[in-house]
Amino acid sequence: MKKIVYINSGHSDLEPGAISIHGTERDLNIMVTDELIPLLERQGFKVEYVPDNLKLRPSIKWINDRTSYINDGLALAIHFNKGGGRGAETYRYGNNKTSNSIAKKLLSKYCKTTGLKNRGVKSDTTTRYKRLAFIRDTNIWSTLHERSEEHTSELQSH
């Protein structure tokens, strides 16, 4: 049986996220997930795409309705970091060792594949919210991936 990855293009039609000269964060997230899905499928994963029209809480419910146990799959939220810096970073569940290991592997492979600078894995407790609902409230292991907006031109040239 294939391992399942649930991908959420962070933000929705109703919550488009940050707006920049490159467009809305939602649209940029969708461009990343459109490139990521075939890569994951070629690696042997089954990919379930969370519908783009769902806000955060309904997205979490959508995933939870399809999963029961922590090892039923992996949930990834894709975001763009408008806060500055270059490269990519991934948030994990607190100081959990398994979550840290998963996040490190994902970020390392992502940065190796894209050539982006690895800005490291960070605990969701270090965010301004002190917890990230996507990570804390899903039934399964989950990470939130941030990519610097400065690398947007690479996506738009494809």
Side-chain angles (χ1 to χ4, degrees):
M1 185 164 96
K2 288 185 176 185
K3 301 247 183 198
I4 301 174
V5 177
Y6 298 87
I7 294 189
N8 176 273
S9 291
H11 298 289
S12 69
D13 295 336
L14 302 172
E15 297 174 325
I19 298 172
S20 74
I21 61 169
H22 301 294
T24 66
E25 183 178 1
R26 175 195 171 269
D27 292 341
L28 297 173
N29 295 345
I30 290 170
M31 289 186 339
V32 170
T33 56
D34 286 349
E35 290 184 7
L36 185 58
I37 289 170
L39 293 173
L40 289 167
E41 290 173 338
R42 282 196 296 272
Q43 294 295 316
F45 293 97
K46 178 181 177 186
V47 179
E48 295 284 335
Y49 190 72
V50 178
D52 291 326
N53 63 341
L54 298 178
K55 290 175 139 183
L56 176 62
R57 291 286 169 200
S59 291
I60 292 168
K61 182 180 180 332
W62 189 93
I63 293 167
N64 287 345
D65 286 348
R66 287 156 178 76
T67 60
S68 300
Y69 304 102
I70 194 85
N71 292 320
D72 280 354
L74 173 68
L76 302 175
I78 305 298
H79 287 266
F80 266 78
N81 186 348
K82 194 160 170 31
R86 297 185 61 84
E89 59 199 17
T90 299
Y91 287 91
R92 67 174 190 276
Y93 187 101
N95 291 318
N96 183 281
K97 290 180 183 178
T98 302
S99 181
N100 188 52
S101 176
I102 291 168
K104 277 186 175 182
K105 288 176 187 173
L106 289 170
L107 183 60
S108 176
K109 183 73 170 181
Y110 182 79
C111 290
K112 184 177 178 182
T113 301
T114 62
L116 295 175
K117 177 184 175 187
N118 185 329
R119 292 174 43 101
V121 171
K122 298 171 174 126
S123 170
D124 72 322
T125 61
T126 65
T127 66
R128 64 182 166 162
Y129 305 107
K130 304 298 181 207
R131 75 183 300 277
L132 295 174
F134 187 84
I135 292 173
R136 294 283 169 156
D137 299 339
T138 54
N139 292 337
I140 58 176
W141 294 113
S142 58
T143 63
L144 188 142
H145 180 80
E146 293 271 8
R147 176 184 172 140
S148 171
E149 184 185 85
E150 296 173 18
H151 299 284
T152 308
S153 58
E154 300 162 8
L155 292 171
Q156 294 176 336
S157 66
H158 288 120

